[in-house]
Amino acid sequence: MFELNYTFFGKDDCLYVKETVEEKELDYLFYCADHEHKTICFIKTNIICPKCGRKLQFNGKSKRNWNKKRIVKLQNYIHKKCNVLKKSSLAKYRDKHCCYTR
């Protein structure tokens, strides 16, 4: 049995993609998102609070440029009790403060 790294039918007109998806799959996912008029939203795979071990809650999305051609979204997470904020990352695909993939 295998696990998919993306969800085609997410809410809010987004194609939800785990931040660990392989870069070779992203071309196909961008094609699917463009065809269905959806935006790709990267989500974290481990959404556990580092302080208490409970699950983090969704807290909106932030927009980022992908190779200065398209907009992608990053899912934000929060745990109010422990005051922990987390955000999904594009570090696997590009260097920090850079708009272009490696």
Side-chain angles (χ1 to χ4, degrees):
M1 185 115 155
F2 62 93
E3 179 178 325
L4 291 176
N5 289 319
Y6 45 87
T7 304
F8 276 104
F9 301 106
K11 52 188 171 182
D12 303 330
D13 291 332
C14 286
L15 171 66
Y16 290 94
V17 177
K18 291 183 182 177
E19 64 184 4
T20 58
V21 69
E22 294 297 322
E23 195 165 355
K24 61 186 176 183
E25 292 180 69
L26 280 176
D27 289 334
Y28 174 71
L29 294 173
F30 277 123
Y31 171 77
C32 292
D34 290 344
H35 186 265
E36 295 294 324
H37 306 291
K38 293 184 179 265
T39 305
I40 289 186
C41 181
F42 288 91
I43 58 174
K44 290 186 87 48
T45 54
N46 185 11
I47 55 171
I48 304 298
C49 178
K51 292 183 179 179
C52 69
R54 292 187 178 166
K55 189 174 179 179
L56 298 174
Q57 298 173 343
F58 294 109
N59 189 33
K61 297 174 184 72
S62 56
K63 294 181 181 180
R64 294 289 182 266
N65 284 324
W66 185 272
N67 291 339
K68 292 193 175 182
K69 292 182 182 178
R70 59 180 48 146
I71 300 291
V72 296
K73 295 180 180 178
L74 302 176
Q75 182 68 53
N76 301 327
Y77 302 92
I78 189 169
H79 190 245
K80 292 180 183 177
K81 185 176 180 182
C82 297
N83 200 22
V84 172
L85 300 171
K86 293 278 187 181
K87 184 186 295 188
S88 53
S89 170
L90 297 177
K92 179 179 177 181
Y93 311 107
R94 65 185 196 188
D95 295 327
K96 190 174 183 178
H97 305 298
C98 184
C99 294
Y100 295 99
T101 55
R102 295 182 188 143

